Amino acid sequence: MNIEAKIPAFNYQFNENDQEFSLFGSFRPQKIDELADCINSLEASISNVTGNFYLNVKRLVRMNNVAFHAIAKRIVKTSGDRPDLKIHVTTSSVLGWSTRKFSTLAKMAPNITINEYDNEFYPGQSFLEDGGFIPILRTQTKLTWRHEKNILPRHGLKPGMHVADICCGIGDFAVLMQKEFQPGRLIALDHSKSSLNYARKVAEDFGVRGIEYVYGDASEMLLEDNQFDFVTCRHSLQVFDRPDLILKELYRICKPGGRVYITNEKNSHCLGEPRSETIQRTYNEVARLWDHFNMDIELGPKSRRYLLEAGFSDISIESFMVTNLDGNPQDFADIIQSWEDVYAGQMAVERGDSVEDIRILKQGFQDHIFAALHPKGYAGWPIWAASGQKPQ
């Protein structure tokens, strides 16, 4: 992988509305004089703000000591000259050195704080990284794979292709693709180290070889342009507050003529019989709950629009319904129970729902489980699969 070839040039900008000074790209001057314009802009930006000042370095991919000391000197001096000003530095966990370097500043001045941005940028991640959720994620993939292994060829996936599975999570979908389609190359990328560790173990346990696991941020990947024939990103755009940023990166790493395949849900279309009314009420509320955390679990049918706006052409879109009849109904019921545990648990509590609100929310999930396990019942979970071609 030629990382150097895709590193963007160094740049900076000040957003007056957010009182945020952002640094981008590779920041490696040989002499401090090369930073004169940047430092002058930084100082001018600080002089124009009151209350809080934000220094955003989460998009830096390189920074040498000359650059760090130049920036650090101004920040520390400002913290001393203006103790009333709170200085917030946003780093990235993907580039761990940035947090280590800037954390030294927080130790020098009480009005400087350091924040790793993943927790803010991925609002849903903390709800999903709980180890107890992993078996449910595997069950979900098992049920959706029954449909997707037939859908994927219609969207252009063929054996021997160079494939990237972005936001691979616990990696079970990558394993299934490797076994079923035997790609010429398969990269699985995620920004959760715990998920990647689990993914590697699953591949090892199954004796599956050839998957390259990569730790990285889906919105700023250290992967070269134009290198994959087929890029997948499943159930992930709906978790991000800026799905357009992810699509921009999926477009960039896809070869001209290649395709990007995405899946997303529209949770308010979950259904069940009997007890359909309470089920519908709960999933309508789930959509509002996700929206509260800047996530969009209704994104599924919007996939075509997102792909077109990202520059893709020849859009293919279809939907399929995972049901209690896809194998053992208990598997379906287990998924719904996990949703109840998370949505009517930590998420509802953090939103500030009352005890009665949570009781009503839980009732719909329990009725969905009842429908799934009823001998004459029917329960469904709709998913939209879409793909677009990167123009030649």
Side-chain angles (χ1 to χ4, degrees):
M1 179 173 64
N2 184 2
I3 294 176
E4 294 289 346
K6 60 83 57 191
I7 293 174
F10 166 66
N11 207 341
Y12 57 88
Q13 69 179 33
F14 177 61
N15 184 317
E16 187 174 354
N17 292 332
D18 295 335
Q19 299 194 166
E20 181 179 81
F21 191 87
S22 300
L23 299 168
F24 307 89
S26 183
F27 198 22
R28 297 196 294 184
Q30 296 304 306
K31 299 178 180 177
I32 197 168
D33 292 347
E34 298 173 33
L35 300 177
D37 290 344
C38 174
I39 296 301
N40 290 338
S41 179
L42 173 63
E43 291 179 340
S45 302
I46 293 174
S47 68
N48 288 325
V49 302
T50 57
N52 292 278
F53 176 74
Y54 296 88
L55 175 64
N56 183 342
V57 298
K58 68 186 181 186
R59 299 301 182 208
L60 281 180
V61 295
R62 293 284 191 278
M63 182 173 66
N64 64 12
N65 283 331
V66 173
F68 173 72
H69 288 302
I71 295 295
K73 182 178 178 181
R74 268 66 181 183
I75 294 298
V76 171
K77 184 176 186 306
T78 298
S79 69
D81 294 342
R82 297 182 58 186
D84 59 309
L85 186 67
K86 296 179 180 178
I87 302 173
H88 307 268
V89 182
T90 305
T91 63
S92 167
S93 68
V94 174
L95 297 170
W97 55 260
S98 66
T99 301
R100 290 195 299 274
K101 277 182 176 292
F102 284 97
S103 291
T104 60
L105 307 186
K107 297 175 182 176
M108 299 170 66
N111 54 336
I112 298 177
T113 60
I114 311 299
N115 301 293
E116 281 194 341
Y117 90 112
D118 285 349
N119 289 338
E120 296 179 359
F121 190 73
Y122 303 120
Q125 193 67 30
S126 61
F127 300 123
L128 302 177
E129 283 197 343
D130 182 344
F133 210 63
I134 285 178
I136 301 303
L137 292 175
R138 294 194 66 183
T139 302
Q140 287 189 176
T141 302
K142 182 173 72 173
L143 293 182
T144 59
W145 181 251
R146 290 170 174 268
H147 302 267
E148 289 188 89
K149 70 178 181 181
N150 297 319
I151 289 173
L152 284 164
R154 293 203 291 272
H155 288 260
L157 180 58
K158 299 175 183 176
M161 283 184 161
H162 286 200
V163 177
D165 184 28
I166 306 303
C167 306
C168 69
I170 59 173
D172 47 351
F173 184 74
V175 166
L176 291 166
M177 278 202 298
Q178 181 77 345
K179 294 169 70 174
E180 183 78 16
F181 293 95
Q182 299 177 344
R185 182 189 183 195
L186 176 55
I187 281 183
L189 180 145
D190 201 273
H191 88 291
S192 167
K193 290 181 178 177
S194 59
S195 294
L196 285 175
N197 289 337
Y198 183 87
R200 291 188 182 96
K201 184 177 185 306
V202 168
E204 182 180 349
D205 290 346
F206 291 172
V208 175
R209 301 180 184 278
I211 302 175
E212 303 170 46
Y213 293 100
V214 176
Y215 174 58
D217 174 10
S219 68
E220 193 77 19
M221 292 184 275
L222 300 181
L223 297 173
E224 295 177 60
D225 299 351
N226 306 319
Q227 62 172 307
F228 295 103
D229 303 292
F230 199 82
V231 180
T232 63
C233 187
R234 300 171 59 262
H235 300 278
S236 297
L237 297 181
Q238 62 192 28
V239 177
F240 295 101
D241 58 350
R242 290 289 306 278
D244 55 310
L245 292 180
I246 310 297
L247 278 168
K248 183 179 179 182
E249 280 292 270
L250 302 181
Y251 183 96
R252 183 182 65 76
I253 66 172
C254 185
K255 288 181 182 176
R259 296 190 73 87
V260 167
Y261 170 88
I262 60 176
T263 63
N264 291 285
E265 303 168 46
K266 184 173 177 66
N267 221 237
S268 65
H269 282 201
C270 284
L271 53 84
E273 285 286 346
R275 303 181 180 178
S276 61
E277 291 184 2
T278 55
I279 294 170
Q280 187 64 64
R281 181 179 61 196
T282 281
Y283 286 105
N284 286 339
E285 189 56 37
V286 167
R288 288 188 282 270
L289 178 64
W290 274 53
D291 182 66
H292 176 81
F293 292 101
N294 297 320
M295 302 184 290
D296 185 5
I297 205 167
E298 300 288 274
L299 195 147
K302 305 171 188 174
S303 299
R304 181 171 183 267
R305 171 166 60 84
Y306 272 109
L307 287 167
L308 286 170
E309 291 175 351
F312 294 97
S313 60
D314 187 27
I315 309 298
S316 295
I317 184 167
E318 57 188 294
S319 62
F320 61 95
M321 184 76 78
V322 176
T323 79
N324 59 326
L325 305 181
D326 291 337
N328 187 344
Q330 187 62 53
D331 286 343
F332 190 99
D334 288 345
I335 291 173
I336 306 306
Q337 184 60 60
S338 73
W339 291 354
E340 178 188 329
D341 294 343
V342 176
Y343 302 163
Q346 184 183 355
M347 290 180 72
V349 170
E350 288 193 16
R351 186 173 64 165
D353 287 12
S354 68
V355 173
E356 178 61 13
D357 289 338
I358 292 175
R359 186 194 68 76
I360 294 172
L361 188 62
K362 286 184 173 183
Q363 186 61 55
F365 289 119
Q366 287 302 307
D367 287 345
H368 206 192
I369 292 172
F370 179 82
L373 299 179
H374 193 285
K376 297 180 182 179
Y378 179 75
W381 167 38
I383 295 169
W384 273 256
S387 69
Q389 184 179 48
K390 182 175 180 178
Q392 295 278 4

